[in-house]
């Protein structure tokens, strides 16, 4: 029997991943420490005494943002999946399939912004591919593989959340969706009753869609010994072990599927239950207002820049203080428990069947 349902937009669902992708992963190699799995954003390959964290993501080019801003936005999305490993991205390898209506001057502006941001972040560009092809179209213009070369002990696995850990959430739901739609369709939002100040505040959120610096700062704070500032030098090893903490045990960038999807993926990857207090999740007023004006559930649409962290209770204060010192809103929003699933304010929630922003983008882009 054939399935007449239209394929979902965005990432394939878990059934396709498990039945089509995962059984067909090429050669089995001992150096692959972490491979593809549902809810897992990156892979890990061991090379000598180094861990190479790797992730591949699509590249978008949205001329309406301005080519420089579009370049920074595209790069932030690509780097995030490696940054949540706790290892800094070190190499960016893009492949561009450009449409013919993106001229050399436009691409130069886009690429200059990408390269400048890479330089600022210490990320090299060792290889790539750039071409124009018939049939290529905006906004998806290729893909990139990002590598992070680092200490194997620094890798924070996406399936590492443990019962007893606290759940931290930064920035809140709907950040990316609001920033993108307010930047692309301010007139639509004005027609739907949003005032200019709210639209401007929402558009500015597009510059908050990177998790890289937050993720790496949180990971470093988690690695600090609980007794590193003022511990007793006469403590026994046993006493130090009792006081030790595991720091940050898992991180996830809340991209496609939004905050709800990211929570479900984190719980599933770790084989745990997550209980969330929605009142403790940071909320950006402009983001929520923008999503609601477009009839979108802010918890079910992409919010790149919002970071979920499972953190050992002993490390929570250090991680929160580090994020707050960066000016990043963060809430201790829940707890990891034995069991399975995600419960928000006591009610079980499921991941969205499809990211809510896809239908909205299709509808709004068709107005032109």
């Amino acid at each position: 029997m054939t399935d007449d349902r239209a394929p979902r937009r965005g990432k394939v669902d878990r059934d396709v991943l498990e039945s089509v992708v995962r059984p067909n992963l090429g050669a089995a190699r001992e150096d692959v420490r972490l491979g593809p799995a549902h809810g897992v954003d990156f892979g890990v390959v061991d090379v000598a005494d180094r861990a190479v964290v790797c992730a591949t993501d699509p590249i978008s080019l949205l001329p309406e943002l301005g080519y420089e801003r579009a370049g920074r936005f595209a790069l932030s999305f690509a780097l995030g999946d490696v940054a949540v490993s706790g290892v800094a991205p070190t190499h960016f390898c893009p492949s561009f399939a450009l449409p013919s209506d993106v001229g050399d001057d436009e691409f130069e502006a886009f690429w200059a912004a990408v390269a400048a941001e890479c330089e600022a972040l210490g990320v090299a560009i060792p290889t790539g591919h750039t071409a124009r092809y018939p049939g290529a179209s905006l906004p998806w213009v290729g893909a990139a593989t990002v590598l992070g070369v680092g200490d194997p002990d620094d890798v924070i696995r996406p399936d590492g959340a443990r019962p007893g850990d606290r759940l931290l959430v930064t920035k809140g739901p709907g950040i990316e969706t609001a920033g993108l739609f307010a930047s692309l369709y301010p007139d639509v939002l004005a027609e739907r009753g949003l005032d200019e100040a709210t639209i401007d505040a929402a558009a500015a959120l597009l510059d908050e869609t990177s998790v890289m610096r937050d993720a790496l700062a949180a990971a470093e704070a988690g690695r600090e010994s609980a007794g590193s500032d003022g511990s007793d030098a006469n403590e026994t090893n046993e006493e130090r072990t009792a006081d030790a903490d595991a720091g940050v045990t898992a991180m996830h960038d809340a991209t496609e599927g939004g905050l709800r999807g990211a929570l479900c993926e984190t719980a599933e990857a770790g084989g745990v239950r997550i209980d969330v207090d929605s009142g403790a999740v940071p909320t950006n007023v402009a983001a929520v207002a923008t999503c609601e004006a477009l009839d979108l559930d802010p918890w079910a649409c992409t919010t790149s820049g919002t970071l979920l962290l499972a953190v050992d209770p002993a490390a929570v204060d250090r991680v929160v203080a580090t994020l707050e010192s960066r000016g990043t809103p963060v809430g201790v929003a829940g707890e990891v428990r034995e069991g399975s699933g995600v419960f928000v304010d006591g009610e079980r929630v499921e991941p969205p069947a499809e990211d809510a922003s896809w239908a909205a983008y299709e509808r709004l882009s068709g107005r032109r």
Side-chain angles (χ1 to χ4, degrees):
M1 173 182 280
T2 60
D3 186 348
D4 294 329
R5 294 174 300 175
R8 62 181 269 175
R9 288 162 290 200
K11 295 179 183 178
V12 298
D13 62 25
R14 177 179 176 170
D15 289 343
V16 173
L17 181 69
E18 295 295 336
S19 64
V20 176
V21 178
R22 278 174 54 84
N24 300 287
L25 295 175
R29 293 180 54 95
E30 292 183 357
D31 56 359
V32 178
R33 192 199 315 179
L34 179 65
H38 188 254
V40 173
D41 289 331
F42 57 85
V44 181
V45 178
D46 291 323
V47 180
D49 63 346
R50 300 280 87 186
V52 179
V53 180
C54 45
T56 300
D57 279 295
I59 295 177
S60 68
L61 197 167
L62 293 158
E64 298 90 343
L65 300 178
Y67 284 93
E68 294 84 357
R69 195 180 187 203
R72 291 190 296 272
F73 175 64
L75 180 67
S76 69
F77 188 82
L79 299 182
D81 280 352
V82 168
V84 296
S85 74
V87 173
T90 54
H91 302 82
F92 174 69
C93 309
S95 177
F96 291 104
L98 299 172
S100 58
D101 54 350
V102 175
D104 290 348
D105 289 345
E106 290 84 1
F107 180 70
E108 181 181 7
F110 177 87
W111 181 245
V114 170
E117 186 70 358
C118 281
E119 184 175 5
L121 295 171
V123 176
I125 304 170
T127 189
H129 177 84
T130 307
R132 292 186 177 88
Y133 293 109
S137 63
L138 298 171
W140 303 110
V141 295
T145 294
V146 177
L147 308 177
V149 181
D151 187 331
D153 291 338
D154 287 345
V155 175
I156 298 171
R157 290 179 61 103
D159 56 0
R162 313 159 310 157
D165 288 342
R166 300 299 185 263
L167 177 78
L168 275 58
V169 179
T170 70
K171 298 182 182 178
I175 298 296
E176 178 194 359
T177 295
L180 187 61
F181 287 165
S183 297
L184 295 176
Y185 309 113
D187 293 344
V188 173
L189 294 172
E191 290 171 7
R192 299 196 176 197
L194 290 193
D195 59 72
E196 184 177 355
T198 300
I199 295 170
D200 288 347
L205 293 174
L206 197 67
D207 298 322
E208 300 294 326
T209 55
S210 172
V211 297
M212 179 168 164
R213 291 178 175 87
D214 284 345
L216 297 179
E220 185 61 31
R223 292 185 194 113
E224 296 175 5
S225 168
S228 62
D229 51 352
S231 60
D232 186 350
N234 295 317
E235 283 182 319
T236 66
N237 288 338
E238 290 79 7
E239 288 170 329
R240 288 196 186 99
T241 299
D243 289 339
D245 64 72
V248 178
T249 61
M251 289 192 285
H252 198 11
D253 185 6
T255 53
E256 195 168 330
L259 185 53
R260 181 148 53 94
L263 287 164
C264 292
E265 289 183 350
T266 301
E268 181 180 345
V272 293
R273 166 176 169 152
I274 296 178
D275 284 278
V276 181
D277 173 7
S278 65
V281 174
T283 299
N284 183 283
V285 174
V288 171
T290 299
C291 291
E292 290 179 347
L294 296 172
D295 299 319
L296 297 174
D297 176 359
W299 281 62
C301 51
T302 183
T303 182
S304 181
T306 295
L307 186 64
L308 274 64
L309 309 96
V311 181
D312 187 297
V316 166
D317 288 346
R318 297 199 310 275
V319 174
V320 168
T322 295
L323 290 168
E324 288 182 339
S325 73
R326 291 183 35 75
T328 300
V330 57
V332 183
E335 184 171 351
V336 181
R337 304 180 188 273
E338 296 276 0
S340 62
V342 174
F343 294 78
V344 178
D345 300 333
E347 295 187 10
R348 182 161 187 150
V349 299
E350 301 296 336
E354 180 180 88
D355 190 290
S357 66
W358 283 114
Y361 179 74
E362 190 173 87
R363 184 174 67 249
L364 293 170
S365 62
R367 288 169 52 105
R368 299 184 173 183

